Amino acid sequence: MKKLYELLEKINSIQTKEELEYRAEQIVQLNVLKKNSDIVSNRKLLVKNFLCEFIYNKEKTLLKADNKQNYPSLNKILKKNLYNAEQITALLKRFPEINRNIGSIPSVFLEKISLGIKKTIVLKIYEHLARYALKFNLFYEQEFNSEKEKFLDEAELDTTDFEEELSSIVNQPVKLTYLGCGFNGNGFRLDISDKSFFYKVFYLYNSDDNMRFLNHGVFAEPQMALFATHNARKNKFAKFFFGRVAGAHYCDSFLISEYLEANPSYVEQSRLLLDYISISVNEQLKFDNSINGKIVDFGGIREVIPEFRNKKIRRTVRIILNCIRYKYNTYKLASSWIIKKKNIDVLKRYIQNIDKKTYCESIDLILKYKIDFPERLAEILKNIQAMDDTVNLRDIVKSEDILTESVEDLIANTEHHSIKIKTRIMPIPEFNCPGHIIIDLFNNIQGIMFFNSQNEIYKIRFEKLIDSEYQTIHELSKDEFNNYKDRYLYTLLYKE
């Protein structure tokens, strides 16, 4: 306690912005985890929350407001640029008085407010949600090893003050319901009138875990949410409405986004898509990061196709893909790409309004990033002006395409059908080691082709991933696969 008082006295005596930044960085670096654990200590978090507020209040006495008219719009910057924690901190240090509120408050919050005071109420809403971001960022779901530990770290959630204060601000009843915690913070359902929203606040982790610190949580997610809403394809992410960014010595960030409830009957439509931004595959696979096909966690957003920074190309790719109907069977070994006559006409009209170079570059990018996109279809698209009737491109992987003794034929056939080669190892005759090629045949099935130094395949094994291990479902000798009679490969792979 003595050390805390000493620190408060030092902060109180600060005279310059540089001193403030130095102390603020020390506070940001405070570790809030329990010893030898990745679980938040609410005792440490309460102290850190208090110090962050103290620094924030001290800052107000040091900053001057005489040059704010020269500040850029944070909204405009963050709609166009994907900023992580490091980048937002640098920006906030450069413009310490910049308006950190981003997005736009939905009209339902203001429908009971008279026109003359709406601007004042908007600021009060932001301040209210930011203030409670440092009250509700405790860990409410801890398990305790002792009564002493429970006494020191237990956090009880009471939303009464939040609801009463916000109700008074917006002049209508609101309700806040705790939904649960994630790896970086707590989520709440905020009900106002007949609308529901998702309110997220963040634990104030320190930067020991650099990946979490830079790309997730308090200093990253609000601006990533804004960028996603303005740059991702429609329905890729839950819609972000408004929030506040944090960085440097600001820690009061929050976000308000679309509230979604899981629909058990939801079935994702089969569409040809290419994303400019996304999250990592590991993040997408987490069961609670997506609801009804929409990503609801904005942490870790990254550019996956840098060329799509060009909005014209991004839009052209989307229009081209929307004009193609892609169908495939359960086994993904029989596919068809259909461009109906009306969509051919759409593309012809669109080409008239853009340069041919942009159109062809867009097709090349589709071919580059969509590994199962046929080159034949790309050629058809580039010559779409010559097409007058529906295009129906069919592709069936036949047994003879894969059950071949020639490595050269196998590679040519996999390229033709856009089948991915996962591994290719050449034979080592001096050690009597055969070569092998592993191909991805979808639905967790792979084919392993063993070949000799004459590039002759002499054995084929098909395996399926079961309980995290590949298990053999078929193994064929050279005579067996040469004499296989069924035309379709999926008959061999999927028969009971």
Side-chain angles (χ1 to χ4, degrees):
M1 189 63 74
K2 182 182 177 182
K3 288 183 178 179
L4 179 60
Y5 281 125
E6 289 174 353
L7 179 58
L8 292 177
E9 287 178 2
K10 288 178 180 177
I11 294 172
N12 230 4
S13 65
I14 288 174
Q15 298 296 316
T16 67
K17 186 164 73 73
E18 288 72 25
E19 287 181 85
L20 183 77
E21 286 183 0
Y22 171 73
R23 290 295 177 193
E25 190 165 334
Q26 286 183 313
I27 291 168
V28 169
Q29 297 298 329
L30 289 175
N31 194 336
V32 297
L33 300 180
K34 291 183 177 181
K35 190 175 181 180
N36 301 321
S37 170
D38 62 354
I39 297 174
V40 172
S41 165
N42 285 325
R43 283 174 293 158
K44 294 180 180 179
L45 196 47
L46 280 168
V47 172
K48 192 168 181 178
N49 284 342
F50 172 73
L51 290 172
C52 286
E53 288 188 274
F54 198 81
I55 275 280
Y56 181 58
N57 290 328
K58 178 63 180 177
E59 176 216 36
K60 293 177 182 177
T61 68
L62 294 178
L63 295 178
K64 298 178 182 179
D66 55 356
N67 63 344
K68 287 177 69 175
Q69 66 271 20
N70 298 322
Y71 278 23
S73 164
L74 196 58
N75 252 329
K76 288 183 179 178
I77 293 172
L78 298 179
K79 284 177 183 178
K80 296 179 181 179
N81 301 280
L82 182 59
Y83 274 33
N84 64 13
E86 189 174 51
Q87 292 161 317
I88 199 70
T89 290
L91 187 70
L92 294 180
K93 285 182 177 179
R94 186 179 173 195
F95 302 106
E97 292 181 89
I98 199 168
N99 180 8
R100 295 183 293 115
N101 299 330
I102 59 173
S104 179
I105 295 178
S107 59
V108 67
F109 284 82
L110 304 169
E111 60 185 13
K112 302 292 184 182
I113 306 300
S114 59
L115 186 62
I117 61 170
K118 278 191 176 181
K119 286 186 177 179
T120 301
I121 296 303
V122 163
L123 293 176
K124 285 186 176 181
I125 292 170
Y126 275 106
E127 286 299 325
H128 177 79
L129 293 172
R131 183 160 55 87
Y132 273 91
L134 288 176
K135 294 180 182 291
F136 288 158
N137 64 356
L138 302 175
F139 195 6
Y140 299 109
E141 300 180 15
Q142 299 203 43
E143 294 181 4
F144 302 102
N145 297 317
S146 66
E147 285 299 315
K148 179 182 178 182
E149 185 179 272
K150 182 176 181 181
F151 174 75
L152 292 171
D153 253 336
E154 185 173 33
E156 293 186 5
L157 177 64
D158 184 359
T159 61
T160 306
D161 289 345
F162 175 97
E163 291 171 339
E164 289 179 353
E165 291 171 27
L166 186 56
S167 295
S168 176
I169 292 170
V170 300
N171 200 26
Q172 56 181 313
V174 300
K175 182 172 179 57
L176 189 72
T177 306
Y178 175 67
L179 298 176
C181 67
F183 196 61
N184 294 288
N186 292 319
F188 301 83
R189 172 174 169 169
L190 177 59
D191 292 300
I192 178 167
S193 186
D194 60 344
K195 305 291 184 184
S196 296
F197 301 91
F198 182 68
Y199 172 46
K200 186 172 183 180
V201 301
F202 305 95
Y203 306 137
L204 300 184
Y205 287 118
N206 67 318
S207 61
D208 287 350
D209 184 340
N210 209 38
M211 183 58 70
R212 176 192 292 182
F213 183 76
L214 289 179
N215 300 296
H216 297 266
V218 61
F219 295 151
E221 293 189 30
Q223 65 264 29
M224 288 182 170
L226 178 68
F227 185 82
T229 291
H230 287 273
N231 292 277
R233 62 173 168 82
K234 187 178 179 181
N235 294 326
K236 172 74 175 179
F237 291 87
K239 184 178 180 180
F240 167 80
F241 294 103
F242 69 103
R244 175 175 286 184
V245 301
H249 49 278
Y250 307 107
C251 294
D252 54 348
S253 70
F254 70 89
L255 64 84
I256 297 285
S257 61
E258 178 182 9
Y259 173 75
L260 295 168
E261 286 187 347
N263 178 6
S265 61
Y266 171 79
V267 178
E268 193 160 4
Q269 292 183 335
S270 172
R271 294 172 58 202
L272 286 173
L273 302 168
L274 272 180
D275 291 313
Y276 167 36
I277 57 173
S278 189
I279 58 177
S280 71
V281 174
N282 288 339
E283 291 288 331
Q284 290 184 59
L285 292 176
K286 291 180 181 177
F287 77 96
D288 55 352
N289 275 4
S290 296
I291 299 176
N292 303 337
K294 292 184 181 181
I295 297 172
V296 296
D297 189 318
F298 298 98
I301 287 176
R302 57 197 177 92
E303 289 181 307
V304 289
I305 301 181
E307 293 94 333
F308 279 7
R309 290 173 193 156
N310 183 322
K311 285 189 175 181
K312 186 189 285 188
I313 284 182
R314 200 161 79 216
R315 182 169 184 265
T316 303
V317 167
R318 178 178 57 81
I319 289 172
I320 291 170
L321 293 180
N322 281 345
C323 287
I324 302 169
R325 186 181 178 192
Y326 176 51
K327 297 169 66 179
Y328 54 84
N329 67 358
T330 308
Y331 321 112
K332 281 199 171 181
L333 296 173
S335 309
S336 64
W337 292 264
I338 303 166
I339 312 176
K340 293 188 175 180
K341 186 178 185 310
K342 63 177 183 179
N343 287 331
I344 290 174
D345 294 337
V346 167
L347 291 175
K348 286 181 178 180
R349 287 195 300 271
Y350 183 70
I351 293 171
Q352 292 174 357
N353 296 318
I354 63 166
D355 56 286
K356 186 72 180 289
K357 181 174 179 287
T358 297
Y359 179 73
C360 290
E361 280 182 10
S362 300
I363 295 170
D364 289 338
L365 284 173
I366 294 171
L367 203 56
K368 177 181 177 181
Y369 287 102
K370 204 142 193 66
I371 61 169
D372 56 349
F373 198 84
E375 287 190 22
R376 288 174 293 162
L377 184 57
E379 290 302 316
I380 288 171
L381 286 166
K382 287 182 178 181
N383 294 287
I384 200 70
Q385 297 282 21
M387 302 297 160
D388 293 318
D389 205 356
T390 295
V391 171
N392 192 341
L393 195 64
R394 297 179 183 275
D395 191 46
I396 298 175
V397 182
K398 299 185 287 295
S399 298
E400 64 190 51
D401 295 328
I402 304 302
L403 304 183
T404 173
E405 61 182 272
S406 167
V407 168
E408 289 83 2
D409 287 349
L410 175 70
I411 292 172
N413 292 339
T414 55
E415 288 178 355
H416 173 81
H417 293 294
S418 300
I419 293 172
K420 181 182 178 182
I421 294 180
K422 298 164 71 174
T423 304
R424 183 182 180 186
I425 304 294
M426 298 303 292
I428 309 177
E430 52 268 36
F431 292 105
N432 201 29
C433 291
H436 67 271
I437 295 173
I438 302 178
I439 61 174
D440 185 359
L441 290 168
F442 311 106
N443 294 340
N444 294 323
I445 290 179
Q446 65 181 21
I448 307 178
M449 287 64 183
F450 299 90
F451 63 96
N452 58 29
S453 54
Q454 284 75 48
N455 276 349
E456 295 171 341
I457 297 172
Y458 62 86
K459 184 171 68 175
I460 297 177
R461 180 193 302 152
F462 294 105
E463 299 176 338
K464 184 169 185 177
L465 186 63
I466 301 172
D467 296 330
S468 301
E469 290 185 0
Y470 275 104
Q471 299 180 18
T472 300
I473 54 176
H474 291 291
E475 187 165 291
L476 306 174
S477 67
K478 186 175 179 179
D479 285 342
E480 287 174 321
F481 65 71
N482 274 337
N483 292 312
Y484 187 75
K485 300 300 184 185
D486 198 293
R487 182 184 179 193
Y488 299 115
L489 184 64
Y490 55 76
T491 306
L492 172 67
L493 298 184
Y494 295 98
K495 68 182 179 182
E496 296 298 328

